[in-house]
Amino acid sequence: MIRPIHLPRPPVPARVQHRYPEIICSCEPTRHKDHESLKRDCFIRRVSISTPERSVFSPVVVQEARGNKSTKSRTASIQKKNSKKKFPVLWAADMSNAEGVQDHRVYRFYEAHASVGKAGIWDPSQNKYYYVDIQGQSLHILTLGGSEIQREDYDVGLSVGAMALIEGGWGLVMAVRDGFGIWDFSKKKLELVATPYGINSGWRMNDGACDSKGRFWAGRLFDTDETKPGQIYRLENDGKTATPVIEGICCTNGVLWSPDSTLMYVGDSTTKQIFVWDYDEESGTPSNKRLLIDTSKIFHGVPDGATIDQEGYLWTCFFDGHKMARISPEGTIDRVYDLPVKRPTQPCWYGDNLDTLLITSASKDVNTANCPESGNILKLHVGVQGQLKAKYKLRSRPDGVANHASS
């Protein structure tokens, strides 16, 4: 159990937050030998507890044990000791079967209050973290320095599902409602560069990412019916050609490539499946589609945004499931983290060693009285090294100026 840390919280100006070590809960992973044991351990008991400070939590680890008297008595004892004041429900994983696992603490990295936060990017060269609020149609840039986080907010005007930094450091490529756009940091506005399915068609771009050659991929979904099969497009390096490549994915999420760029992964949130293709890096061609894992019988919630580590393991958030899982290249569950948000949306590698994850989340349609961290950005040290997101290699800027990579 992590003891509460009491820190002074002086008033701060708008758009500025002090970087205090706000521990939300302990979130050690549960490791599993097979899917059946994972399904049993996915039933976690919710326990209301109290702490002197609302912003700091002492976690209670209790597994839902069917008819287990010791668990019930322990829960009753905890509730009796903490009967003075109840705070919102917290979640933590049962660690009874885990061996050699270090303590993993969940911190509140930033109080974003996003409706649907996503598309996080960490840029160590600028010491900045970028993310969007899909519902808010907004871009947010956090500049990290000293004990403060400075935030810039921009109205994009269209919902943004995914984005990537442009090589050269002058902007972002975005997957937006009507297709693809370029956000210029100096102009502070979006310019649509490709609209492969038209304007106001009912479709919108969801998740996406860049491959090792700097091509930007994103998949469309139908906004009012996510059971309609969509398409995944590849925005070429000319910044205007959107090539349809993959069909049949209803709700694209977790677009990733293996560290050696020989495999491509895409999740479909509608079917709760994650697929894998062989990938030709030079031509940008996926082939031999096959199922990596069907999560529908393993997890509550649906596979959402994801990232990949240097060992080729996927880190996938489960929207509506309170969880993040590490999935092997063979499609087995390596470990599961229970998170203090109902709707985690996407992890992003962060830190000097890239062994920490920043996790965006959603507060839309969530009872924030029970999940007060919903919409915030969480920080979790996982002890596995990841990699920075690939950048978009645009040949020339929309104004005709040649794009030069930063040193």
Side-chain angles (χ1 to χ4, degrees), residues 1-4 26 28 49 57-61 74 78 82 103:
M1 179 178 292
I2 300 170
R3 297 183 179 280
S26 176
E28 302 176 51
I49 64 171
F57 297 95
S58 296
V60 179
V61 181
R74 181 184 175 194
I78 291 169
N82 296 284
D103 177 46

Side-chain angles (χ1 to χ4, degrees), residues 79-289:
Q79 290 176 337
K80 183 177 180 180
K81 290 180 180 179
N82 296 284
S83 59
K84 294 181 180 180
K85 191 174 182 180
K86 296 291 179 67
F87 280 110
V89 169
L90 303 180
W91 295 74
D94 182 276
M95 289 297 296
S96 58
N97 296 323
E99 296 179 1
V101 180
Q102 297 178 349
D103 177 46
H104 290 251
R105 294 172 291 181
V106 179
Y107 291 82
R108 179 191 304 129
F109 179 75
Y110 188 77
E111 237 174 315
H113 301 298
S115 180
V116 182
K118 209 172 183 185
I121 302 172
W122 163 238
D123 183 5
S125 66
Q126 300 296 319
N127 207 24
K128 292 181 184 290
Y129 174 76
Y130 306 81
Y131 71 97
V132 302
D133 188 332
I134 297 177
Q135 292 295 119
Q137 301 183 358
S138 55
L139 165 68
H140 306 278
I141 305 174
L142 305 183
T143 301
L144 315 180
S147 61
E148 294 182 351
I149 296 179
Q150 192 75 35
R151 171 172 151 178
E152 301 169 57
D153 304 316
Y154 299 101
D155 181 8
V156 179
L158 296 171
S159 61
V160 183
M163 61 184 181
L165 287 167
I166 297 174
E167 198 169 67
W170 57 270
L172 294 157
V173 61
M174 292 179 165
V176 298
R177 185 194 66 189
D178 296 327
F180 296 98
I182 299 294
W183 179 271
D184 190 317
F185 290 140
S186 62
K187 296 178 180 178
K188 297 180 174 57
K189 67 177 184 179
L190 179 77
E191 178 180 345
L192 279 175
V193 295
T195 55
Y197 45 83
I199 305 294
N200 296 322
S201 64
W203 294 91
R204 69 172 176 87
M205 288 294 190
N206 201 43
D207 204 2
C210 283
D211 64 13
S212 60
K213 295 298 183 180
R215 296 165 293 221
F216 187 55
W217 297 66
R220 69 173 182 175
L221 64 84
F222 201 75
D223 215 12
T224 57
D225 183 3
E226 294 185 6
T227 64
K228 284 188 176 184
Q231 284 182 308
I232 298 177
Y233 297 85
R234 184 183 64 221
L235 183 65
E236 309 296 349
N237 300 118
D238 62 5
K240 59 185 179 182
T241 305
T243 306
V245 181
I246 297 174
E247 296 184 354
I249 303 295
C250 301
C251 182
T252 298
N253 268 307
V255 180
L256 302 168
W257 287 265
S258 60
D260 62 2
S261 296
T262 60
L263 298 172
M264 180 179 181
Y265 300 95
V266 176
D268 190 333
S269 298
T270 300
T271 63
K272 303 184 180 182
Q273 296 172 316
I274 299 174
F275 298 96
V276 58
W277 290 256
D278 295 324
Y279 189 69
D280 183 83
E281 181 181 17
E282 290 301 319
S283 65
T285 305
S287 61
N288 188 25
K289 175 186 176 182

Side-chain angles (χ1 to χ4, degrees), residues 5 26 73 87 147 165 179 224 267 280 290 307 316 328 371 387:
I5 299 175
S26 176
S73 62
F87 280 110
S147 61
L165 287 167
T224 57
D280 183 83
R290 53 204 181 271
T307 189
T316 303
S328 76
C371 288
Q387 51 195 0

